[in-house]
Amino acid sequence: MALSATPQNAPGLFESHAPRPLADRLRPERLEDVVGQDHLIGPEAPIGRMLAADALVSHILWGPPGTGKTTIARLAAERTALHFEPVSAVFSGVAELRKIFDAARGRRAGGQGTLLFVDEIHRFNRAQQDAFLPVVEDGTVILVGATTENPSFELNPALLSRCQVLVLNRLDDAALEALLARSEALEKRPLGLTPEARNALKAMADGDGRYLLNMTEAIRAAGPGGEIDTAALAALVQRRAPLYDKGQESHYNLISALHKSLRGSDCDAGLYWLARMLTGGEDPHYIARRLTRFAVEDVGLADPNALTQAIAAWQAFERIGSPEGELALAQLVIYLATAPKSNAAYKALGAATQSARTTGSLAPPKHILNAPTRLMKDLGYGADYAYDHDAEDGFSGQNYFPDGMARQAFYSPVERGFERDIRKRLNYWERLRERRTQAGKPVPDDADG
């Protein structure tokens, strides 16, 4: 199969006269001009080392929108003289992929490799992803997939095992400033923003270089006279909605950040992550459910009122609704963050569950079983049961574990909050239990309860 002498993306006869977005006009022509991703493309970075050795391998570029995934793939193909074949998982299917694979085999026979760039690769279903396995395995294509979603959740393990996962950073302030400077150099005039408005514009971009340049273009198209302050900027461009997908990784990342901030007793950070979730469109009922879980998992009996507060806040939101009811969630976040913490109940249940799984179907001791029939009484059900209320101190000290199973301690309260008092009670009962076990019968104790 003959190789075309015309570059695949060469412009048409009249294309140079067609309008092009600023982001496209500023697309880097050298890998060194890509901003914000030195940890991947630098001389000692993964892609930099691959290109230096002329040994590009299949990989997945995972990162937010507008961070350079397509540009990096295209420039890597040019650097290694590979044919660049871009496809989008949104518009492609297995039938189209087969044609691409056949063309790649033809190029390979002629001595040229193919870099297959698959944008939004996570949108291919599992069966479609399997189609890449043989051509990646035998080297028919170098696969470079781009995704904004966590590959661990969205891509087949078999495909992941054949590709490196390289993580792109959201563009920081310095990278966004570099893009603004390039746009001003291209237009040969400053954008005309006050320093405060310039910072606000970068904040609106939220790490997305393409979005920043699109807003820049909108500002120039509006052509306002004079210097633009933050108020005028807000009127010209719309603030970017925070990146938040309620069904994907950002959903789990933010609830994890909220949970761990509360566990770390940082109510200010907790309020910030609560606000991030609410402004991102998260269901407040989901947040209320997770905060209730936190009340029993991480506060527990160190403050028994935490669960009451959680249920009350949840009910308050259901009755008041949004946005007023969100204040109840904020109050709960503050309460939980500032409450004493204990996961003793959480750990106790885990230990008891593990013990229950390993001990099988041991029956309760007969002395604590009810005996509603004559047969059951004859079998010893309820015999020698000591009624705790009849004991002088309300504690019989009898064994309640199965016969043949040694007594175990699952619950170990912490020395914080209300659990400090619980620990004193448990220690007192343990002393009674030891003394009565030694004596062989219940006896009164003169220790304070």
Side-chain angles (χ1 to χ4, degrees):
M1 178 177 178
L3 297 177
S4 172
T6 303
Q8 181 187 15
N9 296 319
L13 181 61
F14 302 104
E15 187 173 342
S16 61
H17 301 289
R20 295 169 58 202
L22 178 61
D24 187 51
R25 287 182 284 145
L26 280 178
R27 192 178 294 275
E29 295 299 326
R30 301 183 311 141
L31 205 60
E32 292 76 11
D33 294 333
V34 175
V35 298
Q37 310 302 337
D38 289 344
H39 66 293
L40 294 181
I41 61 177
E44 299 302 319
I47 294 178
R49 289 197 300 268
M50 284 190 277
L51 296 178
D54 196 22
L56 202 62
V57 300
S58 294
H59 54 275
I60 304 296
L61 296 175
W62 171 29
T67 52
K69 296 184 287 294
T70 304
T71 298
I72 289 173
R74 177 177 57 83
L75 295 177
E78 292 178 4
R79 185 75 62 87
T80 52
L82 293 171
H83 175 85
F84 183 63
E85 185 72 49
V87 297
S88 172
V90 177
F91 302 110
S92 304
V94 172
E96 183 177 350
L97 290 177
R98 289 198 183 100
K99 295 177 183 178
I100 293 172
F101 298 157
D102 289 341
R105 292 187 183 96
R107 292 188 206 95
R108 190 181 186 191
Q112 185 183 31
T114 298
L115 188 154
L116 175 58
F117 175 73
V118 183
D119 197 17
E120 305 286 347
I121 190 171
H122 62 276
R123 293 185 181 272
F124 278 127
N125 62 37
R126 298 302 172 109
Q128 290 171 320
Q129 291 177 30
D130 285 342
F132 294 109
L133 299 180
V135 294
V136 171
E137 188 73 33
D138 66 14
T140 299
V141 300
I142 302 297
L143 174 65
V144 177
T147 179
T148 57
E149 304 297 339
N150 191 326
S152 301
F153 301 148
E154 304 297 334
L155 300 184
N156 284 352
L159 184 59
L160 278 178
S161 70
R162 291 163 173 79
C163 301
Q164 294 186 31
V165 175
L166 304 178
V167 182
L168 285 83
N169 295 331
R170 65 188 298 276
L171 300 188
D172 59 15
D173 187 83
L176 294 173
E177 181 59 40
L179 291 181
L180 282 179
R182 289 181 189 177
S183 74
E184 291 171 325
L186 180 68
E187 299 292 342
K188 297 184 175 59
R189 58 191 175 97
L191 191 54
L193 300 173
T194 65
E196 294 79 10
R198 194 177 186 91
N199 289 333
L201 180 66
K202 290 182 286 187
M204 288 178 179
D206 197 19
D208 186 334
R210 181 169 52 246
Y211 191 82
L212 175 76
L213 295 177
N214 289 342
M215 288 194 294
T216 300
E217 199 165 28
I219 293 170
R220 291 197 184 279
E227 199 172 40
I228 303 171
D229 59 16
T230 53
L233 176 66
L236 285 173
V237 296
Q238 186 175 8
R239 178 177 292 275
R240 178 183 176 87
L243 291 177
Y244 190 78
D245 189 334
K246 290 184 286 184
Q248 302 298 332
E249 194 202 10
S250 56
H251 164 84
Y252 300 105
N253 284 349
L254 266 61
I255 194 62
S256 177
L258 174 59
H259 195 121
K260 290 180 174 62
S261 298
L262 300 184
R263 183 180 291 158
S265 300
D266 191 333
C267 66
D268 295 315
L271 287 169
Y272 171 77
W273 294 116
L274 171 67
R276 279 282 301 274
M277 297 186 77
L278 291 173
T279 57
E282 182 57 77
D283 181 2
H285 294 88
Y286 170 77
I287 300 175
R289 184 179 71 81
R290 289 297 299 253
L291 292 176
T292 302
R293 169 189 166 181
F294 182 91
V296 293
E297 179 180 330
D298 284 274
V299 176
L301 291 172
D303 182 355
N305 196 44
L307 178 57
T308 303
Q309 290 289 326
I311 297 299
W314 195 343
Q315 291 176 337
F317 178 83
E318 290 179 335
R319 295 184 180 187
I320 301 174
S322 182
E324 294 84 355
E326 292 166 4
L327 182 58
L329 299 182
Q331 180 173 302
L332 176 59
V333 163
I334 295 171
Y335 188 96
L336 295 177
T338 56
K341 307 298 189 299
S342 172
N343 68 344
Y346 176 79
K347 292 169 65 177
L349 178 59
T353 300
Q354 180 62 31
S355 180
R357 288 171 178 165
T358 57
T359 54
S361 302
L362 294 177
K366 288 183 178 180
H367 65 267
I368 64 172
L369 298 180
N370 291 329
T373 69
R374 170 60 62 181
L375 175 62
M376 297 170 77
K377 290 180 180 178
D378 291 343
L379 292 174
Y381 283 35
D384 300 322
Y385 171 63
Y387 189 56
D388 289 81
H389 293 293
D390 289 341
E392 183 176 343
D393 44 26
F395 182 80
S396 68
Q398 279 198 314
N399 176 52
Y400 301 99
F401 277 89
D403 291 333
M405 176 180 174
R407 177 175 182 80
Q408 299 186 40
F410 302 122
Y411 176 51
S412 179
V414 299
E415 286 287 344
R416 291 186 294 276
F418 183 69
E419 281 199 325
R420 183 182 292 112
D421 295 327
I422 296 177
R423 175 171 286 280
K424 292 178 181 178
R425 297 179 197 173
L426 291 178
N427 290 341
Y428 167 66
W429 288 327
E430 184 59 28
R431 291 196 303 270
L432 285 183
R433 186 178 292 109
E434 289 176 358
R435 293 185 60 177
R436 292 174 181 180
T437 299
Q438 294 171 0
K441 62 179 181 179
V443 295
D445 189 89
D446 55 2
D448 294 332

